[in-house]
Amino acid sequence: MENANMIHHFLSADRRIRTLASHLSDHSSTMASDNPTSTLSPSPTAGSYVGSASVFSAIAQAPEDSILGVTVAFNKDPSPVKVNLGVGAYRTEEGKPLVLNVVRKAEQLLVNDPSRVKEYLPITGLADFNNLSARLIFGAGSLAIQENRVATVQCLSGTGSLRVGSEFLARNYHEKVIYIPQPTWGNHPKVFTISGLVVKYYRYYDPGTRGLNFHGLLEDLSSAPQGAIVLLHACAHNPTGVDPTLEQWEQIRQLMRSKGLLPFFDSAYQGFASGSLDADAQSVRLFVADGGECLAAQSYAKNMGLYGERVGALSIVCKSSDVAVRVESQLKLVIRPMYSNPPIHGASIVATILKNSEMYHEWTIELKAMADRIISMRKQLFDALLQRGTPGDWSHIIKQIGMFTFTGLNSDQVTFMAKEFHIYMTADGRISMAGLSSRTIPHLADAIHAAVTGIN
Ligand code: PLA
């Protein structure tokens, strides 16, 4: 065996030397030639190989993303009155992106600290960040945390946390079916499918009442196979803005636990819905309090305004600490070949704020101000439509929760509003309330009025 290996080694070394020699002789002859390509054999990947088709020529043009593509269309519109209500990104009353004061402060502290370095983080991320993130979502007094039953890893914002969590499940969990609400965030089915899970839908929204289809939800989860994964929006359901009440959450919990369904919470808006971090985590805490297992994907994009820093966390609550240790070891196997380890800056900002009680307090005030401004936009838009006598019941605008209003406008009306009023939103009629201001509301109300009265 040893000998065979050695012979193989020498033969392949010999082959490499011969290849190198032939390259060198090719090179010297091309140097002497006027036409450097004339002595090279034509290669379809060579730029100089004129006349050949690209090796990628059969690739089809992909459609734009249904949410981020709205920004692409918006950016192309030269109109000075254009408004982007597509992507859920907070804007100030002046229509400007907002960096929280407390985030600026944390960044100053980090910059001024000479002991900070740019070494790689561990595969699982910044330990402080992970511990503090688990406390933020499960509550400081959570029994699961005290009993070391939670495995938390820092991931690339909410999307990355969902991606890592679902690939972990596809590799390690016996049931591959994940039930997601109908409708849901457009990226959910893509993330779960690419991770190796099989996506099915449960009824969630009733267009007739513009509220929760609670009966349909319970029926669909009742008929899900034992052990199936269920994606739940922790609060501020996207795109509908419709959340179950606490009593309904309790019924969902009982049903899911009785069928052994595995909850996977997507918490992209904690604190952004009600303005209270604790109130917005109640659904998750209800499930953790019963001692059962679940997953939770957290994002700091919206509640700390850290969109582009890509900072989030995935927590898996387990039945015992030894299971949590093994779960974490498997999460590392998912992360290492995906992006090796997460970025340090955003997580350091979050950890700085969460561990300093003064800064934490300041954050909650800024967060509440963002949530309140969104709620006031709801009221102003509702009043503006009422004032115009726009046909239909618009009370869902003030009833819905979180960043978005699911207006009920159809795709023709959406197209009309972009073309005639330069107002951009997703084709399903979802508008980002956080992108509105007192200045743009009259323009939006005029557009909705024209769309509703002119286009069926
Ligand atoms: N989960 C839900 C329910 C979301 O709405 C979003 C973001 C994410 C996860 C992921 O956010 P993150 O990766 O940036 O943390 N949804 C946005 C943006 C705000 C987007 O589509 O990427 C939206 O406009 O729907």
Side-chain angles (χ1 to χ4, degrees), residues 189-263:
K190 298 176 195 172
V191 169
F192 297 135
T193 306
I194 210 160
S195 302
L197 297 176
V198 177
V199 168
K200 290 203 171 147
Y201 287 87
Y202 62 88
R203 278 170 287 169
Y204 188 84
Y205 180 72
D206 180 352
T209 62
R210 295 198 173 140
L212 185 69
N213 182 351
F214 192 49
H215 180 73
L217 178 152
L218 292 179
E219 225 172 56
D220 291 348
L221 294 189
S222 298
S223 49
Q226 187 87 17
I229 309 154
V230 179
L231 189 275
L232 301 161
H233 294 228
C235 69
H237 182 274
N238 176 9
T240 67
V242 173
D243 285 349
T245 62
L246 208 54
E247 292 70 36
Q248 288 170 329
W249 273 120
E250 174 53 21
Q251 270 177 271
I252 297 169
R253 186 194 67 78
Q254 283 177 17
L255 170 66
M256 285 183 59
R257 290 311 194 197
S258 75
K259 293 212 57 182
L261 302 175
L262 183 64

Side-chain angles (χ1 to χ4, degrees), residues 133-154:
S133 293
R135 285 176 51 168
L136 184 70
I137 189 156
F138 302 125
S142 162
L143 211 57
I145 295 176
Q146 282 165 25
E147 294 170 354
N148 291 319
R149 294 191 279 113
V150 185
T152 305
V153 289
Q154 179 193 331

Side-chain angles (χ1 to χ4, degrees), residues 65-68 85-89 156-162 184-188 231 233-239 266-269 297-302 306-308 310-312 403-404 426 430 432:
D65 181 76
S66 59
I67 296 172
L68 302 183
L85 305 178
V87 68
L156 306 184
S157 211
T159 310
S161 308
L162 291 166
T184 192
W185 180 46
N187 214 18
H188 277 149
L231 189 275
H233 294 228
C235 69
H237 182 274
N238 176 9
D266 181 358
S267 178
Y269 301 95
Q298 279 171 276
S299 167
Y300 289 97
K302 271 69 73 173
L306 292 175
Y307 304 88
R310 312 306 296 143
V311 53
M403 201 151 201
F404 304 107
T426 52
R430 184 193 85 167
S432 170

Side-chain angles (χ1 to χ4, degrees), residues 302-442:
K302 271 69 73 173
N303 58 13
M304 244 184 233
L306 292 175
Y307 304 88
E309 293 292 353
R310 312 306 296 143
V311 53
L314 170 75
S315 285
I316 305 190
V317 179
C318 307
K319 283 259 171 85
S320 66
S321 60
D322 64 307
V323 174
V325 168
R326 280 180 276 136
V327 162
E328 188 189 291
S329 73
Q330 290 295 334
L331 287 170
K332 287 161 74 174
L333 295 190
V334 174
I335 293 167
R336 173 64 169 149
M338 201 188 277
Y339 54 86
S340 191
N341 49 70
I344 197 165
H345 188 65
S348 305
I349 297 171
V350 174
T352 304
I353 294 170
L354 295 186
K355 75 173 132 191
N356 176 314
S357 59
E358 245 170 68
M359 291 177 98
Y360 182 90
H361 181 66
E362 199 177 332
W363 173 43
T364 60
I365 290 170
E366 289 191 82
L367 178 56
K368 176 89 169 58
M370 289 194 285
D372 284 350
R373 199 185 81 73
I374 294 173
I375 293 168
S376 113
M377 289 302 107
R378 291 188 179 283
K379 180 89 180 71
Q380 288 185 34
L381 178 59
F382 177 69
D383 289 346
L385 291 171
L386 221 58
Q387 233 177 37
R388 282 162 181 74
T390 308
D393 175 7
W394 296 96
S395 61
H396 57 287
I397 295 177
I398 42 179
K399 283 188 208 139
Q400 292 175 353
I401 297 163
M403 201 151 201
F404 304 107
T405 290
F406 207 42
T407 58
L409 294 165
N410 64 37
S411 64
D412 290 340
Q413 292 166 332
V414 169
T415 309
F416 165 83
M417 284 169 64
K419 197 160 161 273
E420 303 298 327
F421 288 83
H422 310 278
I423 292 175
Y424 290 81
M425 68 188 80
T426 52
D428 57 4
R430 184 193 85 167
I431 56 177
S432 170
M433 299 310 285
L436 281 170
S437 69
S438 310
R439 189 175 47 83
T440 51
I441 277 182

